[in-house]
Amino acid sequence: MTAALPTDPTVTALGAAAYTVPTDAPEADGTLGWDETTLVLVTAASDGVTGIGWTYGSPATADVVTRHLAGVVEGRRAWDVPAMNEAMSRAVRNTGRPGLVAGAVSAVDIALWDLKARLLGLPLVRLLGACSCEVPVYGSGGFTTYDDERLERQLRGWTQDEGIPRVKIKIGESWGADERRDLERVARARAAIGDDAELYVDANGAYGRGQAVRVGRRLAEHEVTWFEEPVSSDDLTGLAQTRAALPMDVTAGEYGYTLAYFGHMVGEQAVDCLQADVTRCGGITVWLRAAALAESAGLAVSGHCAPHVHAHAAAAVPNLRHLEWFHDHVRVERLLFTGALDPRGGTIRPGADASAGHGLDLRTARAEEYRSA
């Protein structure tokens, strides 16, 4: 006997707003500096239930959602998230799919998955199907603008106070113009976390090919095991050459806006671990496909930034390495939402409290203090 199916609710409204939060100190990596972070929130409503998703980027992303995507999604069945993802991707062909528009598509997709799970009364990880109940995280920050004391305090906060056994700092200061300080900061980071914790670095594409190899060999002296974007992520040949020359894992992928980009990266054997960002690549729908693509090549996948919207999808793939517990985004997400996860011990447990969807809800009154669009 066939079980009765639920009714077919439709998406009745899609909205967007932007919230801009100042950083708690000036932040910079090897190629960019900033003093505020904007979260663009999408709401998707159906049958009195609202799902939320978000991306990070320009406040103008909210206008893309309301101007270019709402008409594509509204009126469609709430169950059919992949179909809506495909419809959005087709609709923005002439708008320009990569970059800001991809962020808008991603935020809508995340909101739609959250909506579907809430309509069914399930944690999102249960809807997707769990591979694991725990998701490893690594502490990420260590900005090039930090002085030594602030850097050490942040690293010890993760490793000693929260028990996170893997951390990452930024290097490549001023487009690779200060290698000496890069290496001094790495040595200081190793001293701060001790010998047992894993140490990662991220150059954000600041180095040239030869420079990346030269610096990488010095990084190995401090047991760095993860070298992220040693050269531009657009230089797949350079990534592959750097990977072949160095003992640590070479990683990239955060600027992948389409599945095809990840296919090129895997095909060029450019990375040891594929990084994909659910808030840029097309949302949960495409992130899961990127993880499967990586698995087919024998690679692990790592979620880039925005840990709370990665968490449930991350728990649903067998080849997950970890998620980035990024200082800037964790701070914003804890400020603007209830239901934030706890990384103590080095893992988070999405869905453990049985909350429907991804389990986060906007602190409406507080968020209004930071509204920018």
Side-chain angles (χ1 to χ4, degrees), residues 73 75 146 370:
V73 168
Y146 282 1
Y370 301 96

Side-chain angles (χ1 to χ4, degrees), residues 21-27 34-37 143 150 327-328 331:
V21 179
T23 58
D24 56 0
E27 297 177 356
W34 61 95
D35 58 13
E36 62 184 22
T37 298
F143 303 108
R150 191 178 188 98
H327 169 76
D328 201 14
R331 178 174 169 268

Side-chain angles (χ1 to χ4, degrees), residues 34 202 275:
W34 61 95
D202 182 1
Q275 290 179 279

